Structures are given as C-alpha cells and as structure tokens.
Amino acid sequence: MGARVKLSLWRRHPEGFFASLGILLIAAYVTFHHPPGLTRLGYGEDLGGIELSRIVMADSLDRVGRPDFRTDRFMAPAGANAVYFSWALERDWVGALAWKANPDFPWLYFYFVTSMLVSFVGVFWILGRMGDIKPGARLIIALSATLFNIPRHYKTYHHFEHLIHHWFIIGLFLDAWIWKRVGETRRISTRLALWRLLALQATFT
C-alpha cells in the first residue's frame, strides 16, 4: 500500500516529489555529516576567527548601530582596527543579530544547512524554468551541484570565510539560463541579467 501511494505521488506530482526527496537527502547529509565533537561551535581550523568576526559586528551594532571595524575584544584596553578581518555581510551581519538574540545558537551550522537548502532549491527551480528538463534529471543535477561539491564539502568545516557558495552556484545556473534564452530569442533578458548581477554582488559580500 505504501509503495503504491509513493508511486502515485511520483506520477501525479513529479516536481514536488523529487524536490521533497532532494530536501530529505540534504537533511540526512547535514544530520550525519557534522564537525567532529559537535558542540555549540563545532570544529574548524578558522572557526575562532570567524566566530569572533560576528561578535565584533554585534559589538559595533550595539555601540554605533553600524559596522565600524574597531574592537577591544583583543589588544585591550586600547583595542585595534579589525577592518582586515575576513568579513562577509550575509554571514557576519545576520550572524551578529543571531549572537545578540542568543549567543548559544549554533549560527555557523545553521548557516551551512540554510546555504545547502538555498543551493538545491535555487538550482532545482532554475532548471525547471529553463524547460525541457525532467524532474528526475533536475534532482540529480541539483544534488550534484549541492552535495557532490568537493570544495563546498571541505570549506564547510575548515575555511568558513568561503561558506557563501550558494550565490556562486546559483549564479552559474543563471548564466546557463541566460545563454539558453539568448540562443532561443537572440536577446538578453533584463530581468535575468539583474538577478545575475544580484547573485554576483551577494557572492562578494
């Protein structure tokens, strides 16, 4: 009976079925693939510095309401300039808000999980909009870009400053979509070009 229900869902709603299957596989990956000795922070070579950057950002938001890249978290009591930290607007600013709300919240792990989900959903959706790609093939391509991504897999727990891979991945597939539209219509979609510029900007913030 259960197998019949699954088969029926697959036939009647293939897009929803394969999208849900992909999300479940990603959930399983991030559940079983976690840093050794998982704690509030986890483990990583550069984790201390990345965690400190969002704490410094939280201090700046409390003190002046904006980033000022100066902190007394080290070189006390005079403090020091932190402008050459490996800053990332999305990771550190949102992470600072998470720190202010609850310092014990495992922000970087949450950010990693969210990044993978955004990568998968973004690629799966873009492939669907491109047309002529069956849901099963979209699942395989989206999972390949998200899970079987060696740089992503390694950077997750060793170089957190490179964690914003979701915008890079989405940007690549937006490029493919733009060029497909150019081949079909002989013109560049302004809307897609603006989305591509946004993804490019987000990659470097």
Side-chain angles (χ1 to χ4, degrees):
M1 182 66 180
R4 288 182 180 178
V5 172
K6 291 179 181 178
L7 185 59
S8 177
L9 286 173
W10 172 41
R11 286 178 174 173
R12 283 191 287 178
H13 307 286
E15 184 167 349
F17 174 81
F18 283 110
S20 300
L21 178 60
I23 291 172
L24 286 174
L25 290 172
I26 290 172
Y29 174 86
V30 298
T31 298
F32 294 106
H33 175 70
H34 56 71
L38 181 63
T39 63
R40 176 175 69 82
L41 298 180
Y43 166 80
E45 294 173 8
D46 299 331
L47 186 55
I50 297 303
E51 188 71 4
L52 181 60
S53 66
R54 75 185 185 106
I55 296 172
V56 170
M57 179 69 80
D59 291 344
S60 297
L61 295 178
D62 281 337
R63 187 170 59 253
V64 297
R66 58 176 174 76
D68 67 350
F69 305 113
R70 186 165 185 83
T71 180
D72 58 2
R73 289 278 178 174
F74 50 86
M75 302 295 286
N81 193 318
V83 71
Y84 292 113
F85 268 32
S86 179
W87 296 103
L89 180 62
E90 183 179 82
R91 183 197 65 209
D92 297 327
W93 201 318
V94 181
L97 297 177
W99 171 267
K100 292 172 64 175
N102 180 7
D104 289 325
F105 180 71
W107 162 247
L108 288 175
Y109 188 64
F110 173 80
Y111 185 45
F112 165 58
V113 174
T114 303
S115 176
M116 296 200 65
L117 289 174
V118 169
S119 298
F120 173 79
V121 172
V123 172
F124 191 86
W125 183 82
I126 290 172
L127 291 173
R129 298 284 294 185
M130 289 173 67
D132 302 327
I133 303 177
K134 294 182 178 180
R138 289 160 57 191
L139 171 70
I140 294 172
I141 295 170
L143 283 178
S144 298
T146 306
L147 290 182
F148 304 105
N149 179 338
I150 294 174
R152 145 78 83 189
H153 180 88
Y154 180 77
K155 298 294 184 187
T156 303
Y157 300 125
H158 296 274
H159 295 293
F160 279 88
E161 65 270 23
H162 299 292
L163 192 57
I164 313 177
H165 277 193
H166 45 279
W167 296 118
F168 174 72
I169 292 170
I170 288 174
L172 289 177
F173 283 87
L174 280 173
D175 286 339
W177 189 6
I178 289 171
W179 282 109
K180 183 176 185 293
R181 289 285 296 272
V182 169
E184 293 172 347
T185 65
R186 294 295 187 268
R187 66 184 183 86
I188 296 177
S189 167
T190 303
R191 179 173 56 87
L192 288 181
L194 289 174
W195 278 112
R196 182 62 182 96
L197 287 174
L198 179 63
L200 180 64
Q201 178 63 38
T203 301
F204 291 103
T205 56

